[in-house]
Amino acid sequence: MKEKYKENQKKTYVNNNKKNGRPDKGASFKKNSYKSFSQKSENKPLKKSADKAASGTEKNEDIEKLSQGLSELSCPELDFTKDDKLIPKIKSYIKEIILFNSAYNLTNTSDFNEIVVNHILDSLSAASSIKKLTKELEKSIGIGSDEKASDNKIQIADIGSGGGLPGIPLALTLPEFNFTLVERMDKRCAFLENQAAILGLKNTKVLKSEAEKVPAESFDLVTFRAFRPLDKDMITTLLNLTKKGGIIAAYKAKEKSITQEMEGIKDIVPDYHVIPLTVPFLDEHERNLVVIRKK
């Protein structure tokens, strides 16, 4: 299968080079024509990123910061320090983001340390809250008792997943739930599918779709981060995706801004609550999780 991906990717890059004399970072890639971090790219911008990653983009202090951050976020209900494979997997995932970021626009930075703090730890700052919410859902709707049955697990969606944030970090740390990464762009979907395979995320699938076109009531919990403001159109779409009795959990910043945002949709969402989040090494940045229950 890897050889097939390599061949498809090579043809795409070669065609682009012949046509433009250089790789076109906005070029259209065939679905599933992605490759792992270990494969060499003929695309010059990606090759540059790969060389940077291979030379050790991350420093020892970056890994120490990741380890410390995971330790600070751990709690009795969700201890990130118990899984000795978690840090290597996150490290691999960050390297893949750095490798493909210039072409796929996955995050607003390609700096290893910034990705650790602003994206990985930020995504995981809500993991314990999301786990608690989903466990409450399991009890209320009576599913999740059979951990081996995939269709008997809570279904969580990451809407507008982009590079897989927060969906991939959450899927890595909450293997008891099923995750769907909803993304509209082909090349990002290819990246996400590749990451799910590389990281061994059997609880994760990718759905290429705009949020508005996802089948109604598909998910028990819907989450998103840095997607869109919660205006009337967006909240209507999100509520449509959520099963009755389900939850929308939105990563947001300042509570003052949340209050203003929610005021504009109070006729649709009269009740909600805010869970303060603590992101290690981001003490000056206010982060919150807005929780909305669909009645």
Side-chain angles (χ1 to χ4, degrees):
M1 184 177 291
K2 286 185 178 179
E3 292 301 321
K4 181 178 179 182
Y5 296 150
K6 186 186 294 184
E7 182 180 352
N8 288 340
Q9 193 80 341
K10 182 176 180 180
K11 289 179 180 179
T12 302
Y13 291 148
V14 170
N15 289 339
N16 287 338
N17 287 332
K18 287 181 178 180
K19 181 178 179 181
N20 302 322
R22 60 177 175 78
D24 180 2
K25 95 174 184 179
S28 174
F29 289 80
K30 292 181 180 180
K31 187 175 182 181
N32 296 335
S33 62
Y34 46 81
K35 59 186 185 303
S36 71
F37 176 76
S38 61
Q39 294 172 326
K40 294 182 179 179
S41 170
E42 294 179 21
N43 182 307
K44 292 182 181 178
L46 295 187
K47 182 65 166 61
K48 181 178 180 181
S49 296
D51 287 343
K52 186 179 180 182
S55 65
T57 305
E58 84 284 358
K59 301 175 183 178
N60 288 336
E61 53 262 36
D62 294 332
I63 301 302
E64 291 174 1
K65 181 172 284 189
L66 173 60
S67 178
Q68 182 182 338
L70 292 173
S71 179
E72 290 182 17
L73 289 173
S74 294
C75 60
E77 296 79 18
L78 188 60
D79 189 348
F80 299 125
T81 64
K82 289 184 177 181
D83 184 358
D84 57 3
K85 295 180 180 179
L86 181 58
I87 288 180
K89 286 184 176 182
I90 291 176
K91 178 180 174 181
S92 170
Y93 172 49
I94 293 174
K95 283 189 173 184
E96 291 278 317
I97 291 175
I98 293 170
L99 173 62
F100 288 102
N101 198 28
S102 63
Y104 290 6
N105 192 25
L106 302 170
T107 64
N108 59 1
T109 180
S110 290
D111 179 80
F112 193 98
N113 177 65
E114 290 182 6
I115 294 174
V116 166
V117 177
N118 297 337
H119 296 286
I120 301 298
L121 296 180
D122 184 77
S123 293
L124 291 177
S125 66
S128 60
S129 296
I130 288 175
K131 181 173 183 176
K132 182 178 179 181
L133 292 169
T134 48
K135 288 298 182 181
E136 292 174 359
L137 279 176
E138 283 183 341
K139 292 180 180 180
S140 65
I141 59 183
I143 68 170
S145 57
D146 184 359
E147 294 185 358
K148 294 182 179 181
S150 177
D151 58 352
N152 196 43
K153 292 184 178 181
I154 288 289
Q155 304 295 322
I156 300 176
D158 174 15
I159 305 298
S161 189
L165 299 157
I168 286 179
L170 290 176
L172 280 169
T173 55
L174 299 173
E176 64 268 42
F177 308 125
N178 284 338
F179 287 82
T180 298
L181 310 180
V182 180
E183 172 55 45
R184 65 182 180 85
M185 296 181 64
D186 279 328
K187 59 186 180 181
R188 288 179 180 172
C189 286
F191 173 83
L192 294 173
E193 288 173 341
N194 200 29
Q195 295 318 296
I198 291 172
L199 298 171
L201 291 174
K202 296 181 180 180
N203 64 333
T204 303
K205 63 181 181 180
V206 179
L207 176 62
K208 181 190 176 301
S209 176
E210 295 179 356
E212 292 81 2
K213 296 180 180 179
V214 176
E217 299 192 354
S218 295
F219 306 108
D220 300 293
L221 187 144
V222 171
T223 189
F224 65 92
R225 175 181 172 273
F227 184 42
R228 300 185 207 166
L230 277 173
D231 56 21
K232 290 188 176 182
D233 289 340
M234 193 66 249
I235 193 60
T236 299
T237 296
L238 294 174
L239 286 170
N240 183 58
L241 304 180
T242 310
K243 295 179 182 179
K244 186 176 181 179
I247 292 172
I248 296 171
Y251 288 72
K252 291 290 181 180
K254 296 181 179 180
E255 190 167 3
K256 181 178 179 180
S257 299
I258 293 171
T259 301
Q260 294 174 348
E261 208 168 291
M262 299 305 292
E263 180 68 19
I265 58 172
K266 63 181 180 181
D267 54 333
I268 302 175
V269 181
D271 299 311
Y272 69 95
H273 74 276
V274 176
I275 299 175
L277 301 177
T278 299
V279 182
F281 314 110
L282 283 182
D283 297 336
E284 296 180 1
H285 295 259
E286 185 181 348
R287 297 292 283 161
N288 293 282
L289 190 71
V290 178
V291 178
I292 300 167
R293 296 180 183 271
K294 182 177 178 179
K295 297 180 179 179

